[in-house]
Amino acid sequence: MPAYDADTVAALADQQVSWQDKALPPAFWGRTVAEVLAGRPRLSQLPTPLMTLSAPGLRHNVDTLATWCTRHGVELAPHGKTTMAPALWAMQLDAGAWAITLANGFQLGVARAYGVQRVLIANAVISPLQLRWIADELAADPSFEVMMWADSVRTVEIMEAARSAYVGADARPLDVMVEVGGIGGRTGARDLETALAVGDAIADASTLRLVGVAGYEGAIGHGVDEANLEEVRAYLRELATVHHRLRPLYDDDVVPIVSAGGSQYFEQVAKVLASEAGEGARVVLRSGAYISHDDGLYRRLSPLGEHPRTDGEQLVPAMHGWMRITSQPEPGLAIFDGGRRDFPFDQDYPEPQLIRPRSDGSPILPATGMKVTNLNDQHGYLQFGDDQDVVIGDELRVGLSHPCTAFDKWGLIPVVDDPDAADPVIVDLVRTFF
């Protein structure tokens, strides 16, 4: 079966753009995405503030991690919550991704609307309404696969009660994984005894099936020095131990899944789990931010960032912000037209990179030494030196930090052919669903 519904994804190009799409000007309203792109619009035709994606950057990052996973013997189920963009999920699946990871029932609904056939929900779903809907989806589509997590016997009991009251004895079981956590982390069973009890409860349930173990090492590690990396490895070894202890409970036809791996420690996950859990198991990474990478958090901390900790090509930043200087109220300070509702700010403020060519034909100017010092809802503060040339009307490109809080601010994101060009061509428009 295809990994997704290609026709439905392609039909995104037939959707009309409108006043609801803040990335596009009124001149384009009423046209379809395909009609807008047929005119080969340029960045200069779009308003600010704006976030764009880089077509070559996205392609490079998708291919780079796909190659890396193949080389290291692990599968990839990228976390689709990062982008919530079916067109980008399709790119990842076409490159060999085993599944798409999501976080909740709403996101699963988006995936089903675009025919995604295999989904891992990195969370516990305990809403009876959502469990009933998932049961209907499983019954209606024999090729649809969904796996979710549980970290307590109580969670398993709620899942079983909701399903057993709704589905018959011959219904397809719901695949569930034991979530393993760590002290000071997020969710997940905190000790071996609890994890094994959860596994027993899943295996004993009449409407559930135990299919593996999972966890998130990003909630354990807080840096990339050797002490933090060893803390992550110790957690991953505990995850492998739970898997080995649960082996007798897996059905004979189940290829057990052992899953971890965000975008910060995936090389540690492959190093530990591919060897310690990989005997007959499917080791699955769930990295999501890699597709756009960034100019902040992941540039610093990714295993394939500016200080690589593993083999392979480096990832490249594939998302940028664009804003316009609207005021210079005092020396050394400029105010621009983008703020917290446009750009991520939870990890780092945007990083000034360049000033686009002005109307007088001046060249691209570097933004070296400039600094974003604050963001309001719709405004930002740019600090610059006495020797730096900044005037009202200048358009500034910035690097952004943390993709997970960037994509959700834009319902339609232009994709450019070359973000370093004087006036990039818009080659795609990516629709997101948040």
Side-chain angles (χ1 to χ4, degrees):
M1 287 290 296
Y4 62 93
D5 187 335
D7 290 339
T8 306
V9 173
L12 286 165
D14 298 327
Q15 292 186 0
Q16 284 190 345
V17 302
S18 72
W19 55 267
Q20 298 179 70
D21 301 306
K22 67 177 182 178
L24 297 185
F28 294 152
W29 297 350
R31 301 183 194 177
T32 66
V33 166
E35 289 169 343
V36 171
L37 295 176
R40 291 181 59 80
R42 292 187 174 271
L43 186 71
S44 58
Q45 295 176 254
L46 305 187
T48 55
L50 182 69
M51 187 177 99
T52 63
L53 299 171
S54 162
L58 293 173
R59 182 78 269 160
H60 170 86
N61 292 341
V62 168
D63 291 345
T64 292
L65 197 59
T67 298
W68 189 92
C69 288
T70 299
R71 184 183 304 126
H72 289 268
V74 297
E75 302 276 10
L76 177 63
H79 217 320
K81 73 174 177 62
T82 300
T83 66
M84 286 306 296
L88 297 183
W89 298 348
M91 179 186 294
Q92 293 167 307
L93 290 165
D94 287 343
W98 179 74
I100 293 295
T101 299
L102 298 168
N104 56 41
F106 162 74
Q107 294 173 5
L108 178 62
V110 177
R112 293 305 293 147
Y114 287 88
V116 177
Q117 289 300 105
R118 184 183 290 128
V119 175
L120 196 163
I121 300 181
N123 213 338
V125 178
I126 60 173
S127 161
L129 291 175
Q130 291 183 335
L131 288 167
R132 291 172 185 175
W133 174 73
I134 291 170
D136 290 340
E137 290 295 301
L138 289 169
D141 184 355
S143 64
F144 172 48
E145 299 176 54
V146 61
M147 295 139 276
M148 60 189 62
W149 295 1
D151 69 353
S152 72
V153 172
R154 172 64 175 160
T155 300
V156 177
E157 291 172 346
I158 292 174
M159 289 179 174
E160 169 73 350
R163 284 181 53 79
S164 61
Y166 187 69
V167 302
D170 59 344
R172 287 174 61 192
L174 178 64
D175 290 341
V176 183
M177 304 169 68
V178 175
E179 183 188 1
V180 179
I183 301 300
R186 198 164 58 190
T187 51
R190 292 299 200 255
D191 54 68
L192 179 61
E193 180 181 4
T194 301
L196 296 180
V198 175
D200 285 334
I202 297 168
D204 289 342
S206 63
T207 69
L208 309 178
R209 182 173 68 162
L210 178 66
V211 296
V213 299
Y216 177 52
E217 77 295 336
I220 305 299
H222 303 287
V224 293
D225 58 84
E226 183 54 30
N228 269 282
L229 295 181
E230 177 51 35
E231 189 175 13
V232 167
R233 289 191 291 266
Y235 163 73
L236 294 168
R237 289 191 289 267
E238 292 174 6
L239 190 68
T241 296
V242 174
H243 160 65
H244 287 302
R245 292 287 298 273
L246 291 177
R247 268 190 176 279
L249 300 181
Y250 298 132
D251 289 350
D252 292 340
D253 62 342
V254 168
V255 176
I257 300 161
V258 182
S259 178
S263 295
Q264 186 169 330
Y265 300 110
F266 57 76
E267 92 289 10
Q268 302 299 319
V269 174
K271 182 181 297 184
V272 174
L273 295 185
S275 60
E276 298 201 16
E279 301 172 5
R282 189 187 307 276
V283 178
V284 179
L285 302 182
R286 303 190 309 277
S287 313
Y290 80 95
I291 188 170
S292 64
H293 197 51
D294 72 7
D295 278 303
L297 179 70
Y298 290 113
R299 182 179 64 192
R300 297 191 302 271
L301 300 181
S302 168
L304 291 172
E306 64 182 348
H307 302 295
R309 303 190 303 274
T310 185
D311 59 296
E313 294 188 68
Q314 289 180 241
L315 300 172
V316 300
M319 63 178 187
H320 298 92
W322 306 83
M323 62 270 285
R324 199 176 306 274
I325 304 299
T326 60
S327 176
Q328 286 182 282
E330 58 189 64
L333 174 66
I335 306 299
F336 52 80
D337 61 356
R340 295 183 178 219
R341 292 182 174 173
D342 309 299
F343 306 118
F345 58 91
D346 59 318
Q347 295 294 339
D348 304 281
Y349 283 145
E351 175 187 87
Q353 295 179 334
L354 60 84
I355 294 175
R356 291 193 60 233
R358 296 168 178 163
S359 58
D360 61 7
S362 60
I364 293 175
L365 300 175
T368 307
M370 299 181 191
K371 183 179 180 181
V372 174
T373 58
N374 196 11
L375 292 176
N376 298 151
D377 286 353
Q378 315 286 181
H379 298 87
Y381 297 69
L382 179 70
Q383 183 182 82
F384 60 96
D386 294 339
D387 59 341
Q388 292 175 309
D389 185 20
V390 177
V391 299
I392 292 174
D394 277 348
E395 191 172 342
L396 181 72
R397 190 188 84 184
V398 297
L400 303 175
S401 180
H402 198 203
C404 295
T405 55
F407 283 80
D408 64 312
K409 294 171 175 56
W410 297 89
L412 193 67
I413 306 177
V415 182
V416 300
D417 64 339
D418 180 3
D420 295 325
D423 196 5
V425 176
I426 311 302
V427 297
D428 203 358
L429 295 167
V430 169
R431 177 71 64 184
T432 67
F433 296 88
F434 285 95

